[in-house]
Amino acid sequence: MEEKKEKGNFWLTVATFIVNKRKAIYVLFFIAIIYSIVSVNKVSVNQDITKYLPADSETNRGLNLMEEQFLTYGSARVMVSNITYTDAQKLVDELEAVKGVKEVAFDDSEDHYTGTNALYDITFSGEEEEQVSKDAMNAVREMLADYDTYVSTEVGAEEETSKALAKDMNLILVLAVIIIVAVLLLSTKAYMEIPVLLITFGVAAILNKGTNYWLGTISSVTDSIAVVLQLALAIDYAIILCDRFMEEHETMDAESAVKVALSKAIPEISASSLTTISGMVAMMFMQFRLGYDMGIVLVKAIIFSLVSVFLLMPGILLLFAKGIDNSHHRCYVPNITFAGKLANKTKYIIPPLFVLVLVFAFFKSSGCEYIYDTSSVESAKKSESKIAQEKIEGAFGTSNQLVVMVPKGNYEAEEKALKEIEKLDYVDSALGLANVSINDDYVLTDKISPRDFSELADLDIEIVRLLYVAYAYNQEQYGPVFTGIDEYDVPIIDMFLFLYDQYEQGYVTLDDEMDKNLNELYDTLHDAKQQLQGEDYSRFVLSLRLPVEGEETYAAMDEIRGICKRFYPGKDVILVGNSTSDHDLMSSFGSDNLIISILTALFVMIILFFTFQSAGLPVLLVLTIQGSIWINFSVPALSGEPVFFIAYLIVSAIQMGATIDYAIVISNRYLQLKQLMPIKDAIVETLNQSFPTIFTSGSILTCAGFLIGRIASDATVASIGIALGRGTLISIILVLFVLPQILLFGDYIIEKTALTINLSKYNAREIGGRMSVTGHVKGYIQGEIDADIKGSFQGKMNASLETWVPGKQTNIDMLDGQVPGDGAAEDIGSTEDSGISEDIGSTEGCGSAEAVGKGGDEE
């Protein structure tokens, strides 16, 4: 008893301090908002999800090596439709004249011209992220503005995607706010509650977005979707406090009401937020680090939402208190008594059926086809780059580029490997130093003697011999110097580059024509070497006639790797491309899925165990929500649609963490109300009391998800939105029309697995009137109450028996009430020799109350 009093006083003390210091809190929040607004533009956003692959994945290793050791020029595939070949040919010169364009590949083959479509493969002078390439790409777009043009490129794609996604999400946010306002108009009791809720959320969103700067870099997926998810996941925290305030304000002034409401809301909201946070934390354990990225930002979002509700919102409520008083309206959310009656009638039918559906959904969702490449994801709204890619692939077929990196230096092995790879049916082209032709007789890596090099370079044989001797000394290969330099063979590319170095240092002099030829040749060779040979590795660039992902493609990758391993036994061969990225994502998906499923369920069950003090109830609740997840992803399995793996992983965690709250609301109300009335009545009242909360929070999250899915042009974001909206809707249906039957059907299990034994009996007699109460009361009096009280109550009650703590009792003295049937006032108390005290049942008029009999002074 004393412990509970101290606890109540503690939160009331905290709430009083917050309300009394609200002006100082305004100043702190104002400073934080300014800081966050300034910091928003400093947040670095990463568009490339391959950066979040595990550090030891083949793709990650390969990308790092390519960045360190190779030069990769920016490129673009540009298709011009409805053009004749003659006009298309004329455009080549104009494109090559654009500043920053290095090369334009176009000819009359089917690879570049078919029907009335011309395809130009453009190479820029800089890498993808360099400004020279971006400027050249923009110039090409401007030059072709009057043509029917489709452009597929990574040059400048990040900025364009980011701008398009930002525009989409701004529209989604506006629509989401409109929906939220509409929902709140139905579910709130005063119109001026709405600006209070929106201001509180707006501040929380700004703080979270600005503090993303602390994380350094976040993904574009997280950056775009976090605000809407924060809004959908956390706005009910503000609603809870607002509802508490409205209840308390009926009997006390605004400032006192805020203090009492906050003291009650802090523990309730904190407990509610734990399940949501647990789902986000589970994502942070994924090998695919996009889960960590999104998880930490959403955890931070929930924390800032809590901080805004606990610290800022009390002051805002006081600022708007008069407006709230003057703008009352009725709540338009209807009772759903029919659902409670249906639950009573079907409590032996629905649970067994749900088990069958659960098993079916589990196996069906387990057989769902997953895709791992964003280009494979179908979305309601397509980006310009997606449309262009589909148009180009429709006219000229799929082009899947794959890079193979092998140890540097063994030109013979490179040549043999390339020849084997070129023979494969699905290989359109294979480029490496070992198959770049100089003329009809030689490739760059052929080894030739001084005389052959003399003829090839048109140099005096004596000068070439001296060059070969110098080269041998430079390579510390002294044997040929003494045994005969004419028999010394050197790769053409190496000797040309060595010749250029000697020429640059002044050891070799050439006439003007030779000088020009050598410089042009050097540019070509140096370019080729930078692109195809690094410090430790050489690379082959392959073009495959295969889809980006799929078993056929993965089998082809294994075959290519096997060919290279034959010529580089025991050496490291690394493949890099969209296909390897997808394969790595597929490899990590299984373990990530298992981690999220186990950790989310485990975290939630632990929280529920301590919340309800029951072993059986958490299992029933988690199975209900897990069932909604399985049903959610069995829908695309039934329709034959593939699921983007990121959507599955992230939505699984969010759906479990967020929608378990709906199950908690119903279960908590049911457990309380069944102490006050028979369980068949308790379930009806539970659904009527819980529906406004579930309707408000659930409709917002559902609408937000579907809005994202329908409007976002980014395929990743859109797929998450669709799955989240569908999953939330399924969860709502299950907690309203399946969970009640499960609670009724499993009531025996819940009681038997409870840590505290409940012996309430429903043999109460109804009493009514004004009465004095001394003891511990739990229930609803203009809102939920769980406290030790000494005072009077006006209304009607049902009294029933419950176990009590020996030596303590709860007394009810009728002051002017009547007991129906005998017309006499009655004292309902406890007798110490019997070891039982009276439990107060439901009350009418002001709410409901329950005297638990765990202490109190004898009156």
Side-chain angles (χ1 to χ4, degrees), residues 295-350:
I296 196 169
V297 170
L298 290 179
V299 167
K300 186 162 60 69
I302 293 168
I303 291 172
F304 276 119
S305 297
L306 293 174
V307 168
S308 297
V309 169
F310 294 157
L311 299 182
L312 181 64
M313 188 174 171
I316 299 176
L317 280 170
L318 288 178
L319 289 175
F320 283 82
K322 288 185 179 179
I324 291 173
D325 291 340
N326 296 327
S327 61
H328 277 267
H329 66 84
R330 63 183 287 260
C331 177
Y332 297 100
V333 178
N335 285 336
I336 53 169
T337 303
F338 75 93
K341 292 180 178 179
L342 179 66
N344 282 308
K345 292 179 180 178
T346 59
K347 64 182 178 181
Y348 298 116
I349 301 172
I350 295 296

Side-chain angles (χ1 to χ4, degrees), residues 23-49:
K23 290 183 179 178
I25 291 172
Y26 292 154
V27 174
L28 292 176
F29 268 92
F30 180 76
I31 295 171
I33 289 168
I34 297 299
Y35 169 80
S36 297
I37 291 173
V38 171
S39 299
V40 164
N41 293 327
K42 297 180 181 179
V43 179
S44 176
V45 179
N46 175 37
Q47 300 282 344
D48 185 6
I49 65 171

